[in-house]
């Protein structure tokens, strides 16, 4: 039975977005690996910005510098 853990920073992910992630990952496992959606578990773990780091700095500091994870269009 698949167990998928999604880890994100706590930056306002909505209930609807979480539902879309859970459904999307479950559907992907079903389509790609032929896994039963009824036996697929998805967990979303959120972290405070001070508890996540990248390139030697806390994400809270990176955000203060204007560095985000937003996709450039």
């Amino acid at each position: 039975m698949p167990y998928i853990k999604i880890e994100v920073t706590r930056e306002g992910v909505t209930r609807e977005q979480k539902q879309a992630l859970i459904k999307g990952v479950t559907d992907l496992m079903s389509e790609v690996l032929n896994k039963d959606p009824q036996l697929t578990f998805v967990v979303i773990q959120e972290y405070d910005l001070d508890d996540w780091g990248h390139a030697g700095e806390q994400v809270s500091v990176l955000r203060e510098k204007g560095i985000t994870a937003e996709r450039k269009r």
Side-chain angles (χ1 to χ4, degrees):
M1 76 183 66
Y3 170 86
I4 300 103
K5 184 175 184 181
I6 300 170
E7 296 179 318
V8 296
T9 52
R10 187 171 286 125
E11 295 183 85
V13 179
T14 67
R15 182 179 192 178
E16 292 77 17
Q17 289 170 322
K18 290 177 184 180
Q19 177 58 44
L21 285 171
I22 292 167
K23 178 162 180 19
V25 170
T26 300
D27 291 347
L28 185 65
M29 292 297 287
S30 180
E31 293 168 20
V32 174
L33 297 180
N34 196 35
K35 297 298 181 181
D36 184 347
Q38 296 298 317
L39 298 176
T40 300
F41 297 85
V42 181
V43 174
I44 299 173
Q45 176 74 49
E46 292 184 279
Y47 292 92
D48 289 328
L49 298 181
D50 287 341
D51 297 334
W52 194 293
H54 175 72
E57 293 196 83
Q58 290 171 299
V59 173
S60 57
V61 174
L62 296 173
R63 295 296 184 267
E64 289 169 2
K65 293 179 179 181
I67 300 169
T68 71
E70 296 294 319
R71 180 174 51 172
K72 306 227 189 306
R73 296 183 191 254

